[in-house]
Amino acid sequence: MTKKLTQLGRAVAPPSSPDKAKLESVPNPHPDADYVVRFTAPEFTTLCPITGQPDFAHFVIDYVPDKAIVESKSLKLFLTSFRNASGFHEATTMIAKRIAAAIKPRYLRIAGYWYPRGGMPIDIFWQTGKLPKDVWLPDTGVSPYRGRG
């Protein structure tokens, strides 16, 4: 698992699409321990496949690594690649499948809190695996959308 990283430490242009984005991994420095890694992306952007207008979401990605962890710059570039791509909320939130394929975690959960479109927020949640015993998984910390005021 000592693959050479191709993005970290280099100037890299954002991928033109999620299909062209490369998620990279590095060895888990603590493969003998169960712990949670959390990535929060409060300014995720993609395009509505019907109107072409931007959609915004707050993503919380939690995982318990096995042999590998996600290299964070590659994850940032992957998420950035959605800015010019289109997809329904339910399809876009399945970025978890790409993460799971890249690192094969013991557990992975993604929470996608989408800002309202047509007056209705859509929240999408997905997980794989079972949370290992005695692992503390904090609440996502994102309040349900209540509107202004």
Side-chain angles (χ1 to χ4, degrees):
M1 184 184 321
T2 56
K3 298 180 227 171
K4 184 174 169 130
L5 297 175
T6 63
Q7 300 170 101
L8 184 63
R10 295 174 176 81
V12 178
S16 59
S17 72
D19 291 340
K20 294 186 179 178
K22 182 176 180 183
L23 272 172
E24 296 185 324
S25 63
V26 296
N28 179 358
H30 304 286
D32 59 331
D34 287 330
Y35 61 98
V36 174
V37 176
R38 172 171 284 176
F39 289 106
T40 304
E43 298 176 346
F44 180 85
T45 308
T46 191
L47 300 174
C48 171
I50 305 300
T51 66
Q53 296 296 310
D55 284 325
F56 303 93
H58 184 145
F59 276 49
V60 179
I61 302 164
D62 292 310
Y63 71 93
V64 175
D66 192 5
K67 295 178 181 165
I69 58 175
V70 174
E71 192 286 305
S72 62
K73 181 176 182 180
S74 74
L75 179 63
K76 291 172 198 172
L77 289 166
F78 174 55
L79 295 177
T80 299
S81 73
F82 284 86
R83 289 188 177 162
N84 294 317
S86 63
F88 289 110
H89 300 337
E90 295 83 356
T92 305
T93 304
M94 291 302 167
I95 63 172
K97 287 183 176 182
R98 285 278 303 273
I99 296 169
I103 63 166
K104 298 174 182 47
R106 294 179 184 145
Y107 171 84
L108 182 140
R109 172 183 77 180
I110 186 168
Y113 298 92
W114 293 86
Y115 292 92
R117 181 197 296 164
M120 181 183 295
I122 300 172
D123 297 335
I124 312 291
F125 306 94
W126 188 82
Q127 75 178 43
T128 184
K130 291 186 179 183
L131 186 65
K133 185 181 182 211
D134 298 327
V135 170
W136 176 60
L137 182 64
D139 182 77
T140 61
V142 180
S143 299
Y145 186 80
R146 299 282 185 235
R148 291 191 178 109

